[in-house]
Amino acid sequence: MTATALETYDPRTFRARTFDDAAAHFRDGTDTPRAYLERCLETIVACEPVVQAFAALNEAGARAAADASTARWKEGRPLSAIDGLPIGIKDLLETRDMPTQMGCEAYRDHCPQRDNAAVWALRQAGAVLLGKTVTAELGGSQPGPTRNPFDLARTPGGSSSGSAAAVAARMLPAAIGTQVGGSIIRPAGFCGNVALKPTQGGINRGERQATSMSTHGVHAGCLEDMWQVAIEIARRAGGDRGCAGLFGPPTPPAAVQPTRLIVLETEGWTVLDDLSKAGFAQLLESLQGAGVTLLRRSAHPWIEALEKAIGNAGAICNAITGWENRWAMRNLVDEHPDGVSQRAKNTLARAEAMSPEDYRAALLARETAQLCHARLAPLADAVITLSCPGPAPLWPGDVPGAPLAPHPTGNAVFNYPSSMLFAPAVTMPLMSVSGMPVGVQLMGQQHDDARITGLARWLLGTVPPVVVR
Amino acid sequence: MTATALETYDPRTFRARTFDDAAAHFRDGTDTPRAYLERCLETIVACEPVVQAFAALNEAGARAAADASTARWKEGRPLSAIDGLPIGIKDLLETRDMPTQMGCEAYRDHCPQRDNAAVWALRQAGAVLLGKTVTAELGGSQPGPTRNPFDLARTPGGSSSGSAAAVAARMLPAAIGTQVGGSIIRPAGFCGNVALKPTQGGINRGERQATSMSTHGVHAGCLEDMWQVAIEIARRAGGDRGCAGLFGPPTPPAAVQPTRLIVLETEGWTVLDDLSKAGFAQLLESLQGAGVTLLRRSAHPWIEALEKAIGNAGAICNAITGWENRWAMRNLVDEHPDGVSQRAKNTLARAEAMSPEDYRAALLARETAQLCHARLAPLADAVITLSCPGPAPLWPGDVPGAPLAPHPTGNAVFNYPSSMLFAPAVTMPLMSVSGMPVGVQLMGQQHDDARITGLARWLLGTVPPVVVR
């Protein structure tokens, strides 16, 4: 067990595993991708038994890929800046050399022998596919076994539980996650990662295109790796069908100081604990002290209009996603009545009570909110809000006989807005509360992925992290 | 062999099998869904050996479903207006009780045990799922065994080959097809069907959502059945994720006389034979004689702008679809090197030569064309053009050693426009050339599906069909 895996979290001292600094030494020969991989594997040996971030590991395949990468760097011909980067793939994405079990009993030992488009692109870029990371069942809220590395009694968040936890425990420099409601930014916020949930359609989902709000994204230990992984995928596999794909430079965007930021409360404000509120207030004071103008809902009727339009974002998002998953879920439950959790069956029952008109109403609410958000473009550089409603909650498991807990992997209440707005979001590990990470996110206009990454770089380099005990 | 199946086609005398008129007799007890089904099966016994429209038949399941329907009608409680309607499902759509082989060797004996969302909706409405209809391989252009019922030496068109041929041979009153480029309207045009290719996203594709231009649609013997099948699906399963779904009345729209129609040439004009051109001119004269004003590209610069924007529609559509299918096809070819045709492999090779920027350029061309089309809304009620470039071509098969024929199932040159414009299209059997059907289509603005169905009803009821020998 390394100390890191069970340490109390302090954003001022925590050092995640990063790749871009190591790659410099691949060039001069003082380090190699194979040696880098072995360091990851050592941490995995130490931490994985308690963290349980992986649904599958392919050490042999990873070592072979790392050796090939080592040879390319030695020849001075790496395939990309992430050649040799060990990465985890959320277990919703198909991989030809590992099972794809989706955290669901019905898919136990499912081995589709195919690569998701993003997985294909990562291989083309030379990344080392080390394992499949645990997902909550089918990307929903039924938890997998993964624990939060900073407190094993707490959830790592979901549904990208394993991706967030593997990066937090320094087992990997980066991992692929996916988000429909809050499945990237929330676990990343609970685990002290940086992460990008791109503009809707930014990264080609390949076969994972069942719903209109799902996105592939990247969890990482630093913004440089986060951006590089995202852009290397998009340069090779583009975006979703019908979408232009991720826009931005081929290397990490430079830090840019924001002039104005909109502070968004979202539905999350009413459920936020006082310590996290106080910490966020302190962070915002630092920002103002650094010369950033903050605009709140009282400052402009258009900001108030957006707050109102996203005031029931959770209900809108859950209606849309439930309806869109309805037929696939009905088929799965009919085929495997015992292979799907009661939580997922309850979601299906709610979806099956909907009519096409209910769905159309939810779509209109989403489009209205997108219009309100687009209106704000000239007012500020981006939106700032929390990534999660305080630190990760305790997760002792459901109580037999009692109603199912509503949010076993935490509440996505701060994440529904960026999902329904199709907006890019980056979470930054800028706070800790009671020794646990609490992420802070920037949200941009559609296609502002590079811009908010540059703003996040400035914040991480300038604003002192806040520690609330 | 019934005479119908191999008769020369004459649109003035041909009578397709229809359902809405029969259903009237289910109410008074002089006919039953089971008896209706048996009449279809008799035709299938007679014609199927030479037409080869079906990839699978489920007579036992269909008879059980027809008996259940008969009981419901007897009790005066049919599930819908299409309760008891025997229907064919294009073999790209998953069905829980029949194989889904997609016309592709790699999927031989593939039995996914799942229902596509549209299939689920048809069952809910009481339709009788009689068989899977042959598709060209994976919805592309590698032909299946199906022949054109009006001349067995000719293609029925593709990729919805079996759906079009089964309706033409009176084996079924309706069948589900799908279109990405021209896969519904073209075979329906070659086979004398009516058919609806809905507004993009109008009918829930369920798992068949790999590309941004594919749609489910309906082939039928009459407009009443065509509309009823489409709306019964949409009322139960809605549209694609993110789409509002098909709009329109719960029963077939009434006939409406158009005031003005735009005559669109499309890329197809230059490859059209003289007989078909003359026939179409005669049809347009009849329309003018009936008081309809026709607007051509010379009449308005906006019409000219649309003609220019769709002047290379085929190349744009093929680039978009090739790119979007690229990862699924690469996986399939890697997994089953001998299970995919050379034609499909050639398409994959072209897609793999594309960059994300090539794809973005094609998307921009598509969006530009959509803008030009939307501008025309106030100018006319709809667009009129041919459904196919003349009668179905002969298809003797590829010649060993020679290059692969470019269009074995016919050229989609008149169909790419409605696909790339996301526009609804209805084809009408209003012409025959040399004893073969040549369809005429109406294309509307997005969500004008019901409107063009009403206009088509007027045309079919008013304009004398044209026979060119």
Side-chain angles (χ1 to χ4, degrees), chain A residues 70-422:
Chain A
T70 297
R72 288 190 294 267
W73 280 100
K74 200 171 169 186
E75 291 163 11
R77 288 199 293 220
L79 295 170
S80 75
I82 62 166
D83 195 336
L85 183 146
I87 195 161
I89 308 293
K90 186 176 182 180
D91 198 28
L92 291 177
L93 279 65
E94 296 186 339
T95 44
R96 64 171 65 216
D97 49 5
M98 287 179 273
T100 302
Q101 303 178 101
M102 305 192 215
C104 179
E105 185 58 30
Y107 286 101
R108 178 184 285 273
D109 299 327
H110 177 62
C111 287
Q113 315 280 317
R114 289 186 290 269
D115 274 344
N116 179 274
V119 171
W120 173 90
L122 285 168
R123 289 195 211 271
Q124 296 280 317
V128 172
L129 276 67
L130 178 51
K132 301 298 284 283
T133 51
V134 168
T135 176
E137 183 192 36
L138 299 169
S141 59
Q142 176 69 23
T146 312
R147 302 170 183 210
N148 193 305
F150 301 110
D151 180 349
L152 298 177
R154 292 174 191 270
T155 177
S159 64
S160 304
S161 314
S163 294
V167 169
R170 309 184 79 251
M171 297 195 268
L172 289 171
I176 301 300
T178 70
Q179 176 158 324
V180 177
S183 286
I184 293 172
I185 298 298
R186 174 181 39 149
F190 284 156
C191 288
N193 306 162
V194 301
L196 170 67
K197 194 290 285 184
T199 298
Q200 183 63 41
I203 294 180
N204 195 329
R205 287 174 290 164
E207 87 277 7
R208 291 288 311 159
Q209 310 212 359
T211 65
S212 62
M213 283 191 291
S214 73
T215 52
H216 284 3
V218 185
H219 298 250
C222 66
L223 286 171
E224 291 82 354
D225 291 344
M226 177 197 87
W227 180 261
Q228 203 66 47
V229 168
I231 203 71
E232 297 293 350
I233 297 172
R235 287 170 70 184
R236 288 168 176 80
D240 288 338
R241 72 283 167 285
C243 296
L246 184 66
F247 287 95
T251 52
V256 178
Q257 173 166 0
T259 304
R260 285 181 301 275
L261 291 174
I262 292 166
V263 182
L264 218 56
E265 292 186 355
T266 83
E267 274 184 297
W269 206 247
T270 56
V271 301
L272 191 64
D273 64 283
D274 291 340
L275 287 181
S276 300
K277 256 185 200 166
F280 190 51
Q282 190 182 328
L283 187 90
L284 295 178
E285 271 177 40
S286 294
L287 273 173
Q288 286 180 302
V292 179
T293 301
L294 300 178
L295 304 173
R296 293 163 200 269
R297 61 193 302 170
S298 58
H300 199 292
W302 284 358
I303 300 175
E304 179 63 23
L306 177 61
E307 289 275 20
K308 285 204 173 116
I310 60 171
N312 62 338
I316 295 166
C317 288
N318 289 328
I320 290 172
T321 301
W323 174 266
E324 292 173 350
N325 279 329
R326 171 175 164 171
W327 288 272
M329 284 303 297
R330 169 46 57 202
N331 277 318
L332 192 67
V333 170
D334 284 353
E335 211 180 337
H336 301 279
D338 302 323
V340 178
S341 72
Q342 190 57 47
R343 219 173 230 108
K345 287 177 183 167
N346 293 351
T347 302
L348 174 60
R350 287 190 292 274
E352 290 189 330
M354 287 175 67
S355 70
E357 285 67 34
D358 295 333
Y359 178 64
R360 284 178 177 166
L363 287 184
L364 180 59
R366 185 170 81 179
E367 285 164 37
T368 304
Q370 290 176 351
L371 182 67
C372 292
H373 182 226
R375 280 284 178 281
L376 301 184
L379 298 190
D381 299 292
V383 158
I384 188 167
T385 189
L386 290 171
S387 301
C388 45
L394 293 167
W395 175 238
D398 287 306
V399 179
L404 295 174
H407 305 298
T409 58
N411 194 330
V413 74
F414 278 104
N415 314 114
Y416 292 122
S418 75
S419 293
M420 77 184 281
L421 298 172
F422 294 0

Side-chain angles (χ1 to χ4, degrees), chain B residues 19-327:
Chain B
F19 184 82
D20 74 317
D21 46 347
H25 301 290
F26 301 161
R27 285 203 179 79
D28 66 27
T30 56
D31 193 5
T32 67
R34 175 61 190 266
Y36 189 97
L37 172 66
E38 294 299 334
R39 298 197 293 276
C40 292
L41 287 169
E42 279 169 30
T43 308
I44 289 172
V45 166
C47 301
E48 176 60 8
V50 291
V51 175
Q52 300 182 70
F54 289 95
L57 276 167
N58 182 6
E59 294 97 330
R63 285 189 166 115
D67 285 343
S69 173
T70 296
R72 288 190 295 268
W73 281 101
K74 199 170 170 186
E75 292 163 11
R77 287 198 295 220
L79 295 170
S80 75
I82 62 167
D83 195 335
L85 183 145
I87 195 161
I89 307 293
K90 186 176 182 181
D91 198 27
L92 292 177
L93 279 64
E94 297 185 339
T95 43
R96 64 172 64 216
D97 49 6
M98 287 179 272
T100 302
Q101 302 177 101
M102 306 192 216
C104 180
E105 185 58 32
Y107 287 100
R108 178 185 285 274
D109 299 328
H110 177 62
C111 288
Q113 315 280 316
R114 288 186 290 270
D115 274 345
N116 180 273
V119 171
W120 172 90
L122 285 168
R123 288 194 211 272
Q124 297 279 317
V128 172
L129 276 67
L130 178 51
K132 301 299 283 284
T133 50
V134 168
T135 176
E137 182 193 36
L138 300 169
S141 59
Q142 176 69 24
T146 312
R147 300 171 185 209
N148 194 305
F150 301 109
D151 181 347
L152 298 176
R154 294 175 190 270
T155 177
S159 65
S160 305
S161 315
S163 295
V167 169
R170 310 184 78 252
M171 297 196 267
L172 289 171
I176 302 299
T178 71
Q179 175 158 324
V180 177
S183 285
I184 293 172
I185 298 298
R186 176 181 38 150
F190 284 155
C191 288
N193 306 162
V194 301
L196 169 67
K197 194 290 286 185
T199 299
Q200 183 62 43
I203 294 180
N204 196 330
R205 286 174 291 164
E207 88 277 8
R208 291 289 310 160
Q209 310 212 357
T211 65
S212 61
M213 283 190 291
S214 72
T215 52
H216 285 2
V218 184
H219 299 249
C222 66
L223 285 171
E224 291 81 354
D225 290 345
M226 177 197 88
W227 180 262
Q228 204 66 47
V229 168
I231 203 71
E232 297 293 350
I233 297 173
R235 286 172 70 185
R236 288 166 175 82
D240 288 337
R241 70 284 166 286
C243 296
L246 184 66
F247 287 95
T251 52
V256 177
Q257 173 166 0
T259 304
R260 285 180 302 274
L261 292 175
I262 292 166
V263 182
L264 219 53
E265 293 186 355
T266 81
E267 273 184 298
W269 207 246
T270 56
V271 301
L272 192 63
D273 64 283
D274 290 340
L275 288 180
S276 300
K277 255 184 200 167
F280 189 51
Q282 190 181 327
L283 187 89
L284 295 178
E285 271 177 40
S286 293
L287 273 172
Q288 286 180 304
V292 179
T293 301
L294 300 178
L295 304 173
R296 294 163 200 270
R297 60 193 304 170
S298 56
H300 199 291
W302 284 357
I303 300 175
E304 179 62 24
L306 177 61
E307 289 275 19
K308 284 204 174 115
I310 59 171
N312 62 338
I316 295 166
C317 288
N318 289 328
I320 290 172
T321 301
W323 173 267
E324 291 172 351
N325 279 328
R326 171 176 164 171
W327 288 272

Side-chain angles (χ1 to χ4, degrees), chain A residues 15-32 36 39 73 81-82 85 170 173 221-226 228 252 457:
Chain A
R15 288 288 166 269
R17 191 179 294 282
T18 54
F19 184 81
D20 75 316
D21 46 348
H25 299 292
F26 301 161
R27 285 201 180 79
D28 67 26
T30 56
D31 193 5
T32 68
Y36 189 98
R39 297 197 293 275
W73 280 100
I82 62 166
L85 183 146
R170 309 184 79 251
C222 66
L223 286 171
E224 291 82 354
D225 291 344
M226 177 197 87
Q228 203 66 47
R457 239 178 139 175

Side-chain angles (χ1 to χ4, degrees), chain B residues 9-15 279-280 282-284 286 428-433 438 440 459-468:
Chain B
Y9 178 78
D10 185 327
R12 297 167 303 188
T13 54
F14 179 75
R15 289 289 166 268
F280 189 51
Q282 190 181 327
L283 187 89
L284 295 178
S286 293
M428 303 160 288
L430 277 173
M431 281 174 57
S432 75
V433 174
V438 174
V440 176
L459 263 77
L460 280 172
T462 308
V463 181
V466 171
V467 176
V468 185

